Amino acid sequence: MIKEEIKKALQNANLGGALTRFSEAYAVSRARAYEGLNFEELREKIAKAKSYVAENLEEVVKTFISSAEKNGAKVFYTKSPDDVRKYIIELAKKHNVKSIVKSKSMATEEIHLNKYLKDEGIEVNETDLGEWIIQLAGQRPSHMVLPAIHLTRYDVSEVFTKKVEPIEPDIARMVKFARKHLRRKFLAADMGISGANIAIAETGTIVLFTNEGNARLTMTLPKIHVAVVGVEKLVARFEDIFPIIRALPRSATAQLITSYISFVTKPYTHIDGSQKEFHIVLLDNNRSSIAKDPVFKQTLQCIRCASCLNVCPVFRHIGGHVFGKVYTGGIGTILTAWTEGLKASKDIQGLCIQCGNCVRVCPGKIDIPELILEIRKRLAKEEGLSFSTRAIYSVVNNRKLFHSILRAASKIQKPFEKGGFIRHLPFFLSELTSERSLPAIADIPFRDRFKKIEQPKSQKKAIFFAGCLIDFAYPEIGEALIKLLNSADIEVLFPEEQTCCGAPARYSGVMDVAANNSRQNIEALLSFDGDYVISACPTCTVALKTQFIKDLKEQNYSEEIIRKAQKLSEKIKDASELINSLIKEGKIKFKNGKEQVFTYHDPCHLVRTLNIQKEPRESLLAAGMKISEMFESDTCCGMGGSYSLKFPEISGTILKRKLENIKKTQAPLVCTDCPGCVMQIRGGVDREGLQIEVKHSIEVLAERLK
């Protein structure tokens, strides 16, 4: 089912075009909007204020109810979506409500309120322009802030023509058309339903951010105003709203401020002189359970800006109708798991490529990829693993068997291999080579080549962790690293007992295998005495530095092995960082050669987890290279480890975008510092027949050594 939805979305040129254009413009506009502001300081304040609510949710809810009721509002707090629907329906029946207007509210989408109201014979009209379009089209929102972003003006014209009356696909005319029709709905409505962006416990006030003015009409024209508010919108104090006011419009739509910010504290007199009714429905729907979960409680720091969607390389190609349910994208996956149940997130959680781009922009400081990994772990624990998955990871769990199979594969691949690539695979495997060529497994792995490398003896020693790709696909990267380190008078050691870093198992939620891989590698790497432990793969570096410790703790390994993991962590350095420092110290020197132009792709884990960005460029420039920067150099190439095998169609689409950006630089060489990115981009370059070289920076630097 999910595969068919992905295929359909990827074939929709309008969808991909609209989302890509928006995400490109958003990145530039957001950066401009945040100029002069300290984003890290701002989001630290938001995270602190929101985490306080999560830690003290029951108390903050009580304070809000007390404050709001003193102001004259009627507050209904419930944990059940069904209770919310019953409350509003009974209220509508009591006042003989025939027509309702609604401003944008994700909480009402979450409980499918419109459907239940219609079933009771009540007319419901969305008044946010995007929501109205979606309502007329019979669809659900594809984006939490921009619900109709997936539709073109021609699509909208067709919807209006079919559902209301004929209208040309002219944006200005369609806006005027919508205003005319919606004004009638406002004037005829008996009840207005809104959401809220913030609810202030101290004052009992709800705050709404809008651009169209429809929310104010919804709240003021009908005699009854009902605000449906998730308890995650609560803040304790009035002063807590100011960081959110600064961040929400900038992060959501790259505006300095929205057209309207409305504060509603008490019921006002209606225009006919009668007293209005103001009801606030506080919805829990498992949010209190989130607050009590030590891993997921950070979810309540979300301010619903959807910036995570705007920068997601997967979302920009398939949209929210595939990547999400009521709530979309990465944060939507997490919310779905809690509001609809863990199983409801089963298909969509796999769509996260774990690039970490969302973490960088989240004003609530939520580690969305880490929380999605936790969902995978819990799904694996609750539902178990399929036979094929168990079989694969039982092999990875056995180092000798795993390495023996890789050696055997280097022989079996011969009918399919040509020039170092596998360009076509038969039958059901053909999809894996549709968008890129795969690397052939090396005839002689790095571990065998290492034994024949003659090195000068040195007091300074580096232990090399190769990782699967360098060991069995790109041994030349390992050889280049040894050459560089030897030139700096550093001897390289290679423990043969090392195995997979555990990333494939870890990112699939198979934590017993990941932890066992961690244990095996710790024992192997600490069996040698070295000054550093070096990795030329950022994913492996992250595993060695932080993930091993977490894996072992989660799987309840002994304190002794955890201490060893911590000792190992202190020695870890990514090769790009170490080489750069050695160049700056004058220990690695380069010959005066011809200047070569290159472009650079930033690997996701290197730039966002390890915070290494300028160092590889500095090293290459020091070696006499000249850079031609590519657009979106730090956007994921689509590799994502095993992601490219699970979702080759998405991976291939992301890769095509990366290749387009590479071609625009006109550079004959692409450098990167991740063997996985080398595999992905080099495979795409070969598949398209481009005259471009793709190399690990280590190889290029070694070639230019003095």
Side-chain angles (χ1 to χ4, degrees):
M1 179 68 174
I2 188 77
K3 284 283 188 177
E4 285 302 313
E5 290 176 359
I6 290 168
K7 185 178 179 182
K8 187 178 177 182
L10 292 175
Q11 289 172 346
N12 185 340
N14 286 337
L15 174 69
L19 292 173
T20 298
R21 285 190 298 274
F22 171 74
S23 63
E24 288 177 358
Y26 170 82
V28 175
S29 300
R30 179 189 174 278
R32 192 181 299 124
Y34 272 107
E35 284 176 0
L37 285 179
N38 187 326
F39 178 62
E40 290 304 319
E41 187 179 291
L42 197 63
R43 70 179 188 159
E44 185 62 43
K45 289 178 180 177
I46 293 170
K48 187 178 179 181
K50 300 288 275 185
S51 64
Y52 174 84
V53 174
E55 293 283 354
N56 302 276
L57 186 58
E58 190 174 335
E59 176 194 332
V60 175
V61 167
K62 285 179 181 176
T63 303
F64 179 84
I65 293 171
S66 174
S67 300
E69 287 179 340
K70 285 177 185 175
N71 296 332
K74 296 177 181 178
V75 184
F76 177 64
Y77 170 63
T78 178
K79 296 194 173 186
S80 164
D82 193 45
D83 287 346
V84 177
R85 295 187 289 258
K86 285 178 181 175
Y87 181 87
I88 295 173
I89 288 168
E90 286 172 10
L91 181 66
K93 287 180 176 178
K94 177 183 173 183
H95 292 276
N96 197 29
V97 170
K98 302 295 182 185
S99 174
I100 294 174
V101 285
K102 287 178 73 244
S103 65
K104 196 170 185 303
S105 165
M106 288 306 298
T108 61
E109 293 278 356
E110 178 185 326
I111 64 172
H112 309 288
L113 180 62
N114 287 10
K115 175 187 178 298
Y116 287 87
L117 291 171
K118 286 177 184 176
D119 289 347
E120 294 294 329
I122 302 168
E123 181 187 340
V124 185
N125 293 287
E126 296 287 351
T127 63
D128 172 271
L129 180 54
E131 290 281 355
W132 188 49
I133 293 165
I134 292 303
Q135 183 184 29
L136 292 174
Q139 300 179 8
R140 61 177 172 83
S142 66
H143 188 285
M144 288 190 287
V145 174
L146 308 163
I149 192 172
H150 60 289
L151 298 176
T152 66
R153 60 192 172 107
Y154 301 101
D155 295 327
V156 175
S157 170
E158 187 178 340
V159 169
F160 284 165
T161 298
K162 284 182 178 178
K163 299 292 184 177
V164 188
E165 62 183 63
I167 180 73
E168 296 173 29
D170 177 271
I171 293 173
R173 288 185 179 182
M174 287 192 289
V175 170
K176 190 175 180 181
F177 169 90
R179 185 183 296 117
K180 180 183 75 172
H181 283 274
L182 288 173
R183 283 295 162 94
R184 297 170 187 164
K185 305 294 184 184
F186 285 121
L187 293 169
D190 305 303
M191 177 187 286
I193 298 177
S194 75
N197 296 99
I198 309 172
I200 309 167
E202 183 179 44
T203 61
T205 305
I206 63 168
V207 187
L208 291 89
F209 295 69
T210 59
N211 279 316
E212 298 171 20
N214 62 302
R216 288 190 174 180
L217 292 171
T218 298
M219 294 186 291
T220 55
L221 289 179
K223 290 190 176 183
I224 306 166
H225 171 208
V226 180
V228 183
V229 186
V231 294
E232 78 282 2
K233 301 296 180 73
L234 286 164
V235 294
R237 302 170 303 168
F238 191 84
E239 65 193 70
D240 294 334
I241 72 172
F242 295 110
I244 300 174
I245 287 174
R246 290 189 181 98
L248 182 53
R250 287 175 167 88
S251 289
T253 51
Q255 294 173 272
L256 298 182
I257 196 163
T258 50
S259 302
Y260 305 92
I261 298 180
S262 305
F263 291 74
V264 186
T265 302
K266 62 183 180 179
Y268 294 96
T269 304
H270 190 255
I271 52 175
D272 67 2
S274 63
Q275 183 65 42
K276 279 176 63 70
E277 284 193 24
F278 178 31
H279 298 254
I280 302 172
V281 179
L282 278 179
L283 171 65
D284 187 306
N285 194 18
N286 232 17
R287 288 159 173 81
S288 54
S289 298
I290 299 176
K292 292 172 186 174
D293 189 292
V295 178
F296 281 97
K297 65 181 179 182
Q298 62 175 292
T299 306
L300 299 183
Q301 292 162 207
C302 176
I303 62 171
R304 301 292 192 274
C305 66
S307 57
C308 52
L309 280 60
N310 300 342
V311 300
C312 176
V314 176
F315 188 89
R316 72 154 52 167
H317 292 294
I318 62 174
H321 285 162
V322 179
F323 196 175
K325 301 273 188 182
V326 170
Y327 296 105
T328 52
I331 190 66
T333 302
I334 299 159
L335 293 169
T336 297
W338 284 92
T339 59
E340 298 186 37
L342 190 62
K343 288 184 180 179
S345 68
K346 185 176 180 180
D347 286 339
I348 56 176
Q349 59 79 24
L351 294 170
C352 173
I353 201 168
Q354 293 285 309
C355 73
N357 212 18
C358 51
V359 181
R360 178 178 59 87
V361 300
C362 176
K365 292 192 74 174
I366 304 168
D367 192 342
I368 293 171
E370 191 64 28
L371 296 184
I372 290 176
L373 276 186
E374 183 62 25
I375 289 173
R376 290 177 190 171
K377 293 175 195 176
R378 295 187 186 189
L379 279 168
K381 190 174 181 180
E382 187 175 293
E383 298 193 348
L385 303 172
S386 66
F387 174 78
S388 59
T389 303
R390 283 199 307 273
I392 290 167
Y393 287 116
S394 66
V395 170
V396 176
N397 217 10
N398 185 324
R399 182 185 64 81
K400 289 183 179 179
L401 176 61
F402 179 44
H403 290 171
S404 297
I405 288 173
L406 287 172
R407 288 178 186 275
S410 70
K411 309 294 185 247
I412 296 168
Q413 73 185 355
K414 293 300 180 185
F416 308 104
E417 186 265 337
K418 186 177 180 182
F421 289 102
I422 296 171
R423 296 183 174 91
H424 302 283
L425 284 171
F427 310 121
F428 62 91
L429 297 173
S430 61
E431 194 176 33
L432 299 179
T433 51
S434 62
E435 302 296 342
R436 66 170 185 191
S437 303
L438 294 173
I441 296 171
D443 288 333
I444 305 172
F446 174 80
R447 58 184 53 240
D448 292 352
R449 296 189 189 194
F450 178 78
K451 297 169 186 174
K452 298 178 181 178
I453 297 173
E454 293 185 8
Q455 298 186 69
K457 295 296 178 184
S458 173
Q459 286 189 328
K460 207 82 169 169
K461 291 179 170 57
I463 300 166
F464 179 42
F465 182 81
C468 301
L469 276 176
I470 292 178
D471 201 352
F472 289 95
Y474 301 122
E476 62 275 10
I477 297 174
E479 291 174 320
L481 180 60
I482 292 175
K483 193 175 175 183
L484 282 166
L485 292 176
N486 286 173
S487 76
D489 196 27
I490 298 172
E491 184 182 349
V492 179
L493 309 175
F494 183 80
E496 283 194 41
E497 298 297 306
Q498 63 181 272
T499 187
C500 174
C501 72
R506 187 174 299 110
Y507 292 124
S508 298
V510 189
M511 297 313 298
D512 58 331
V513 173
N516 188 50
N517 289 156
S518 302
R519 180 195 59 78
Q520 289 176 311
N521 284 313
I522 290 165
E523 300 288 3
L525 295 169
L526 291 182
S527 67
F528 282 66
D529 187 21
D531 299 277
Y532 322 101
V533 177
I534 306 300
S535 165
C537 169
T539 303
C540 295
T541 306
V542 171
L544 294 161
K545 201 168 186 67
T546 61
Q547 291 292 349
F548 282 9
I549 298 168
K550 291 173 70 175
D551 294 348
L552 295 168
K553 284 181 176 178
E554 281 183 23
Q555 294 298 305
N556 298 314
Y557 273 71
S558 69
E559 286 296 322
E560 182 187 358
I561 191 69
I562 292 169
R563 279 196 297 271
K564 287 182 178 180
Q566 290 165 336
K567 181 183 176 182
L568 176 65
S569 173
E570 292 166 7
K571 291 189 171 189
I572 303 302
K573 280 192 176 290
D574 191 81
S576 62
E577 186 179 30
L578 177 62
I579 295 299
N580 181 251
S581 65
L582 293 171
I583 292 169
K584 287 179 176 177
E585 291 167 14
K587 294 178 180 178
I588 294 178
K589 297 178 181 178
F590 302 100
K591 61 190 176 187
N592 294 323
K594 184 182 177 183
E595 185 180 73
Q596 187 178 5
V597 177
F598 74 101
T599 191
Y600 189 82
H601 165 70
D602 294 280
C604 296
H605 281 114
L606 189 74
V607 70
R608 281 185 281 278
T609 310
L610 298 172
N611 296 311
I612 296 172
Q613 186 171 36
K614 67 181 191 316
E615 290 87 346
R617 290 170 171 80
E618 288 177 349
S619 299
L620 290 161
L621 293 173
M625 307 287 286
K626 182 180 179 181
I627 192 164
S628 175
E629 289 283 6
M630 77 169 86
F631 179 59
E632 295 185 334
S633 66
D634 63 350
T635 295
C636 183
C637 66
M639 175 62 182
S642 57
Y643 189 94
S644 62
L645 304 178
K646 294 173 185 172
F647 298 106
E649 58 284 89
I650 298 175
S651 173
T653 304
I654 295 172
L655 173 60
K656 281 181 181 177
R657 178 73 186 160
K658 178 62 66 173
L659 293 177
E660 286 301 315
N661 289 334
I662 289 169
K663 285 186 278 188
K664 286 173 184 175
T665 68
Q666 299 186 324
L669 171 67
V670 181
C671 293
T672 186
D673 279 79
C674 171
C677 298
V678 170
M679 172 181 163
Q680 177 81 342
I681 298 171
R682 189 183 287 178
V685 163
D686 180 76
R687 189 69 182 163
E688 288 198 14
L690 304 175
Q691 299 304 304
I692 298 173
E693 282 190 289
V694 182
K695 291 186 176 183
H696 197 294
S697 298
I698 295 294
E699 296 176 89
V700 177
L701 294 172
E703 290 165 3
R704 301 176 81 87
L705 271 175
K706 194 169 185 179

